[in-house]
Amino acid sequence: MKEADYIKSLGAIDVLDREEFSSPGKPLGKERWAGAVDVVGDIVLANICASTRYGGVVTACGLAGSMDFPATVAPFILRGVTLAGIDSVMCPRARRLEAWERLGRDLDLEKLKSIANVIGLTESIGYAEMLLAGKLRGRVIVDISR
């Protein structure tokens, strides 16, 4: 996997290939993790839930793949897995402040800076094409004043 060293430099202990999650899997997979964060949805989210340990929690905070959820209820009934939706729109102010304080305390700002690409608005079309082609890593910040 070509990005494994980069991802580990950000703090990951292990890196799994996205192909492992991109095809339909079994309703219940081998129990692998106690929790997960999914930004893709669709088959990826279904596979993550299917491999979550008994009593585990999966948070879904994105729909990069699609809004579909082609899964069964097996992980939820047989393993007590919780699927929690994370939204940033309706979250109460006090909870947001708590989250920002925690990020300010626990996040390594140098690592955060290392994944950011700041571009001007005129560059956004080219970056969007690279993003869709899977040729970007990190985050892109569009500075509209540039």
Side-chain angles (χ1 to χ4, degrees):
M1 206 174 341
K2 69 179 184 175
E3 298 291 345
D5 290 337
Y6 169 70
I7 295 168
K8 287 181 179 179
S9 77
L10 297 173
I13 294 168
D14 196 12
V15 179
L16 305 174
D17 193 320
R18 72 173 64 187
E19 294 302 317
E20 187 176 339
F21 302 93
S22 299
S23 299
K26 297 177 181 177
L28 280 178
K30 179 182 174 187
E31 292 180 271
R32 297 175 73 179
W33 36 74
V37 177
D38 174 68
V39 298
V40 179
D42 204 1
I43 292 172
V44 173
L45 179 57
N47 286 329
I48 289 171
C49 289
S51 295
T52 300
R53 292 181 187 157
Y54 180 85
V57 177
V58 177
T59 59
C61 60
L63 304 167
S66 83
M67 290 182 63
D68 292 340
F69 185 53
T72 70
V73 297
F76 311 108
I77 294 173
L78 300 176
R79 290 191 183 152
V81 171
T82 297
L83 176 58
I86 305 298
D87 89 291
S88 60
V89 177
M90 302 302 290
C91 184
R93 179 173 165 71
R95 239 174 140 187
R96 288 176 192 236
L97 291 174
E98 180 182 347
W100 283 110
E101 287 172 12
R102 176 79 190 260
L103 284 170
R105 184 177 64 244
D106 297 345
L107 189 63
D108 183 337
L109 294 180
E110 290 306 310
K111 287 183 180 174
L112 183 62
K113 287 178 187 175
S114 76
I115 68 168
N117 299 297
V118 181
I119 64 169
L121 186 58
T122 58
E123 300 169 89
S124 61
I125 298 297
Y127 269 79
E129 291 169 356
M130 289 189 294
L131 176 69
L132 292 172
K135 296 181 179 177
L136 278 180
R137 69 178 182 189
R139 297 291 176 247
V140 177
I141 300 165
V142 180
D143 181 347
I144 60 170
S145 67
R146 283 179 51 181

